[in-house]
Amino acid sequence: LQSWLKGDILPNLTSYITRVTDSFSVLFDILKNFGLGMIVAVYLMIGWEKFGAQAKMIVYAMFPKKAAEWIQYEIHFTDRMFSGFIHGKILDSAIVGIICFIFTAFTGMPYALLVSVIVGVTNIIPFFGPYMGMIPSALLILTSSPWKCLVFLVFIVILQQIDGNVLGPRILGETVGIS
């Protein structure tokens, strides 16, 4: 035991301690940033109406009344469009995730729920999101069966075509107000 301690542990003790302290330092930074983010988010949510009123006063102070009213209308319009898009995209992604779960569960693919959650969540990201979800999901299925992985890849491509050309435009068109 003494030779093991003197030969292996003590010479490397400095590097072990450095690694542990670096790990704690990184963990502390993450917790600190998370805590500060939560404090700022709560502060902004509590003062949301006050900040909106102050921004409105600034706009009316800087611009003539007609221009300020136009700016305020455009800000409200932009808010409606963005929130409509976000709500529609979340609904669309949930539907895609449910369709993916039904298919993967029906075909007996491994990790059906996990794969469907990954596909549904990454579908929120426009353009590249569906493919970002397809890659790790396909790798998960590949660990079990290459044939099922190929079937899954073909299914995801077909699902994304249907989502991008039929489902997405209908949902997003209704929530944003575009035909």
Side-chain angles (χ1 to χ4, degrees), residues 18-30:
T18 304
R19 287 181 193 167
V20 169
T21 55
D22 287 346
S23 298
F24 278 119
S25 174
V26 168
L27 179 64
F28 177 74
D29 286 343
I30 290 171

Side-chain angles (χ1 to χ4, degrees), residues 118-140:
I118 292 171
V119 168
V121 169
T122 57
N123 194 55
I124 295 172
I125 303 168
F127 304 113
F128 302 110
Y131 301 106
M132 289 169 52
M134 179 179 68
I135 293 168
S137 299
L139 291 174
L140 275 172

Side-chain angles (χ1 to χ4, degrees), residues 1 28 51 53 66 73 76 102 127 139 160 162-163 166:
L1 180 64
F28 177 74
F51 296 139
K66 189 173 183 177
Y73 170 78
H76 286 294
I102 291 169
F127 304 113
L139 291 174
Q160 290 308 316
I162 292 170
D163 178 43
V166 178

Side-chain angles (χ1 to χ4, degrees), residues 26-143:
V26 168
L27 179 64
F28 177 74
D29 286 343
I30 290 171
L31 292 175
K32 178 186 70 167
N33 289 337
F34 180 76
L36 286 174
M38 292 300 293
I39 291 169
V40 169
V42 168
Y43 174 73
L44 289 175
M45 290 176 72
I46 289 172
W48 182 254
E49 292 176 4
K50 180 181 175 184
F51 296 139
Q54 289 173 343
K56 185 177 179 181
M57 288 189 322
I58 290 171
V59 168
Y60 275 94
M62 291 180 61
F63 297 100
K65 183 178 179 184
K66 189 173 183 177
E69 289 172 353
W70 177 81
I71 291 170
Q72 185 178 359
Y73 170 78
E74 291 299 324
I75 288 172
H76 286 294
F77 177 77
T78 304
D79 180 50
R80 277 195 322 272
M81 290 299 112
F82 275 120
S83 48
F85 175 78
I86 290 170
H87 289 117
K89 196 65 177 167
I90 289 172
L91 177 64
D92 175 51
S93 297
I95 292 171
V96 167
I98 290 168
I99 292 171
C100 183
F101 177 72
I102 291 169
F103 177 80
T104 54
F106 180 72
T107 57
M109 291 192 186
Y111 312 110
L113 183 60
L114 176 63
V115 165
S116 301
V117 168
I118 292 171
V119 168
V121 169
T122 57
N123 194 55
I124 295 172
I125 303 168
F127 304 113
F128 302 110
Y131 301 106
M132 289 169 52
M134 179 179 68
I135 293 168
S137 299
L139 291 174
L140 275 172
I141 295 172
L142 182 65
T143 61

